[in-house]
Amino acid sequence: MFISLHSAIPRSDFLCASPNFVKSHYIFQSEKKRKDQNLALNIAEKGFPISVYNRTTSKVDETVERAKKEGNLPVYGFHDPESFVHSIQKPRVIIMLVKAGAPVDQTIQTLSAYLEKGDCIIDGGNEWYENTERREKAVSELGLLYLGMGVSGGEEGARNGPSLMPGGSFEAYKYIEDIVLKVAAQVDSGPCVTYIGKGGSGNFVKMIHNGIEYGDMQLIGEAYDVLKSVGKLSNEELHSVFSEWNKGELLSFLIEITADIFGIKDDKGDGYLVDKVLDKTGMKGTGKWTVQQAAELSVAAPTIASSLDARFLSGLKEERVEAAKIFKSGGIGDILIDQSVDKQKLINDVRQALYAAKICSYAQGMNLIRAKSIEKGWDLKLGELARIWKGGCIIRAVFLDRIKKAYDRNPELASLLVDPEFAKEIIDRQSAWRRVVCLAINSGISTPGMSSSLAYFDTYRRERLPANLVQAQRDYFGAHTYERTDVEGSFHTEWFKLAKQSKI
């Protein structure tokens, strides 16, 4: 879908269109979820008449009809791109909600034939940030402005207030500022939108947001597995536990919906629906991009990386079924040790482990954003990013207010782990965290997110690591040199000769 600002149907400030250039499962899902439609209705509901366009004309008609039913909202549909563009008041602003990659380029090419100097295009999809920078440069040569705007919140957020992350032309942002301030989710600290920065910063920040989301979901999944597989909690008990967790430090959208999921009965049979869902996780690519960027920037992000690996492994469903048969025949069942545990103590330990691991995951994401900001000269404000994630988006949580305050206290904070408040919370919870990881290991339950977060913490907190041996090895076989702790400079040792001499 496209959404554009400054429609002239009467006078309008926002225009929304939704061309669908690629017929694929991804686009089909997008339409089925009606995220694009919902964002259009959200804008119109805030008092901004909008125009909409989709190559599939039935989608346009459906959106207009829905707008009538939901309060006769000012949504105007068009069945061809020329009339759509011409319906918009100058300077025109069009938001695209199109699958990332080639479809975006095709859409820009189509629109450019009718746009004029000073008009603006906004990409509201999950786009690779370098593509946004390339397009911004290309359309500027035509006299057009360009923004890459991350939109988070799913179908519900799009309708009632998403978290918006616009980056690119500041001039273009000023075109839409009064509108996005009203359309975005509203929290106690203000609208969940801000001008992120230059170039592809908006898309990059949204990408890392999604990577953090991957980590969050994996950690919650592991907490569920330990409670169910080791603690033997029923779905009713899990519903109660997660509902209670959502009243405290873990209060968040993901914990809330997890509690809801455990309470849904299967409408096609007996039992609960969650138990009938295939254990094979999908993905759209932003998590992979996040991990790739972590490697490019030399920033450790093990929790996010482990969540991606877990999705890859979940995709090997058929292989896992066969592997389970082989290992069960060898005496290794699903659970290695069927331990008797104190349920209430386990619930409390898992809650603490989940929170501590979550701190590490967010620390990794924030460090990635800071590293890219330094590399690109974006001057991103980490505390402000935490603020706009407090509402509307998938990772919205009370916890984000703590992160904002941490960066308010120290904008140059090296890591959330060394913020005095977060450091104390990890210290208070690390014993429970270790108990959960050990229990999972001994039971044969995989907890890659919690385990990698703990390893990240244990590595970061130690003054000296075994990296000295790795450096010695590198110098031994490759003459890569090493530094010393007592003398400045780079050194190389003929390790092989010395070792040979010591054997004589």
Side-chain angles (χ1 to χ4, degrees):
M1 176 181 280
F2 295 124
I3 297 175
S4 74
L5 313 181
H6 303 291
S7 170
I9 311 271
R11 175 176 175 80
S12 165
D13 297 303
F14 218 104
L15 162 69
C16 176
S18 171
N20 179 10
F21 286 97
V22 175
K23 289 182 181 286
S24 73
H25 184 60
Y26 177 82
I27 289 295
F28 173 75
Q29 280 191 317
S30 175
E31 291 180 345
K32 189 175 181 181
K33 292 178 181 175
R34 302 194 298 180
K35 179 179 178 180
D36 48 4
Q37 224 179 63
N38 281 356
L39 188 55
L41 296 173
N42 180 4
I43 296 163
E45 189 175 57
K46 298 303 186 294
F48 303 105
I50 62 171
S51 300
V52 297
Y53 166 68
N54 188 306
R55 196 177 74 166
T56 304
T57 57
S58 62
K59 295 298 177 183
V60 175
D61 298 337
E62 180 186 319
T63 303
V64 173
E65 186 61 29
R66 220 184 126 198
K68 291 179 182 177
K69 291 180 179 178
E70 296 189 17
N72 205 26
L73 301 175
V75 175
Y76 303 89
F78 295 86
H79 292 167
D80 68 274
E82 183 176 6
S83 61
F84 163 72
V85 171
H86 288 160
S87 75
I88 311 166
Q89 183 184 22
K90 301 177 185 178
R92 303 179 180 93
V93 182
I94 297 176
I95 299 181
M96 305 178 292
L97 294 176
V98 182
K99 185 179 180 182
V104 177
D105 290 312
Q106 294 166 9
T107 300
I108 293 171
Q109 184 178 10
T110 299
L111 293 173
S112 298
Y114 311 110
L115 294 175
E116 301 174 53
K117 186 176 181 180
D119 291 345
C120 176
I121 299 174
I122 300 175
D123 181 3
N126 285 327
E127 185 56 272
W128 175 241
Y129 79 98
E130 289 181 336
N131 284 341
T132 295
E133 294 184 337
R134 168 178 61 80
R135 290 168 185 144
E136 182 182 13
K137 182 179 179 181
V139 302
S140 69
E141 296 174 358
L142 302 175
L144 305 176
L145 303 177
Y146 200 84
L147 278 176
M149 184 169 71
V151 179
S152 179
E155 181 180 348
E156 181 268 338
R159 183 65 182 88
N160 300 309
S163 175
L164 301 172
M165 293 153 261
S169 165
F170 184 69
E171 182 183 354
Y173 174 72
K174 296 306 288 186
Y175 278 11
I176 66 170
E177 184 176 35
D178 60 332
I179 298 157
V180 295
L181 288 175
K182 292 183 179 180
V183 169
Q186 308 292 315
V187 295
D188 55 359
S189 56
C192 292
V193 60
T194 189
Y195 174 68
I196 301 297
K198 297 179 293 185
S201 59
N203 290 125
F204 187 87
V205 167
K206 174 56 163 57
M207 178 185 75
I208 302 301
H209 161 285
N210 286 17
I212 293 171
E213 178 186 310
Y214 272 51
D216 253 355
M217 295 173 73
Q218 177 63 27
L219 292 171
I220 292 171
E222 292 172 16
Y224 155 62
D225 198 6
V226 172
L227 292 175
K228 180 183 179 182
S229 301
V230 181
K232 303 293 190 293
L233 270 71
S234 66
N235 286 319
E236 294 94 327
E237 290 172 315
L238 288 165
H239 171 73
S240 177
V241 166
F242 277 82
S243 295
E244 188 62 31
W245 284 358
N246 199 46
K247 299 174 183 176
E249 63 195 9
L250 290 171
L251 190 157
S252 64
F253 173 70
L254 286 171
I255 293 293
E256 178 186 357
I257 68 170
T258 301
D260 289 346
I261 287 168
F262 290 129
I264 304 299
K265 295 285 186 69
D266 183 13
D267 62 349
K268 293 180 173 59
D270 296 332
Y272 287 81
L273 182 56
V274 66
D275 297 323
K276 309 291 177 62
V277 176
L278 182 67
D279 55 323
K280 188 174 180 179
T281 308
M283 67 194 78
K284 291 184 178 179
T286 46
K288 181 166 68 174
W289 288 349
T290 300
V291 174
Q292 288 171 336
Q293 278 296 289
E296 289 289 331
L297 293 165
S298 299
V299 173
T303 311
I304 299 171
S306 67
S307 71
L308 186 65
D309 288 340
R311 293 194 183 198
F312 292 154
L313 284 165
S314 78
L316 303 177
K317 176 64 177 179
E318 293 77 13
E319 289 184 38
R320 289 188 290 110
V321 169
E322 292 305 312
K325 293 177 183 177
I326 292 170
F327 289 105
K328 281 179 182 177
S329 67
I332 299 180
D334 196 49
I335 304 297
L336 297 184
I337 304 174
D338 195 3
Q339 305 179 57
S340 176
V341 297
D342 182 321
K343 276 190 180 183
Q344 203 52 51
K345 187 175 186 304
L346 177 63
I347 290 167
N348 188 48
D349 278 356
V350 172
R351 175 185 58 79
Q352 294 184 70
L354 178 55
Y355 185 74
K358 183 183 179 83
I359 294 172
C360 290
S361 184
Y362 278 69
Q364 293 161 31
M366 289 300 189
N367 287 350
L368 275 169
I369 293 172
R370 181 181 57 199
K372 179 58 73 171
S373 177
I374 292 170
E375 179 188 87
K376 302 288 287 186
W378 285 339
D379 192 30
L380 303 184
K381 309 300 183 188
L382 300 184
E384 181 67 356
L385 298 183
R387 186 195 69 77
I388 68 169
W389 290 344
K390 283 172 59 179
C393 70
I394 302 303
I395 65 171
R396 61 185 183 266
V398 67
F399 169 79
L400 285 158
D401 195 49
R402 313 280 310 282
I403 295 178
K404 181 185 183 302
K405 290 177 179 176
Y407 286 111
D408 286 347
R409 287 190 290 270
N410 180 7
E412 304 303 319
L413 187 65
S415 170
L416 289 176
L417 300 187
V418 294
D419 171 75
E421 288 196 12
F422 281 123
K424 183 179 185 305
E425 291 186 324
I426 289 181
I427 291 169
D428 291 344
R429 291 162 177 76
Q430 59 101 24
S431 294
W433 192 4
R434 295 180 195 283
R435 285 196 295 271
V436 171
V437 170
C438 288
L439 177 65
I441 290 171
N442 290 332
S443 301
I445 299 297
S446 175
T447 54
M450 287 188 184
S451 301
S452 59
S453 287
L454 182 57
Y456 179 81
F457 167 64
D458 281 336
T459 301
Y460 189 71
R461 68 175 177 78
R462 293 184 66 196
E463 183 177 348
R464 186 167 175 81
L465 297 171
N468 57 315
L469 177 59
V470 175
Q471 278 300 86
Q473 291 170 333
R474 293 180 72 244
D475 189 53
Y476 190 124
F477 65 68
H480 294 294
T481 74
Y482 58 90
E483 294 176 277
R484 295 178 59 99
T485 60
D486 53 351
V487 183
E488 289 188 0
S490 296
F491 298 87
H492 169 61
T493 295
E494 296 292 337
W495 301 88
F496 178 74
K497 289 182 180 180
L498 293 175
K500 189 173 182 181
Q501 289 173 7
S502 68
K503 293 176 183 179
I504 297 175

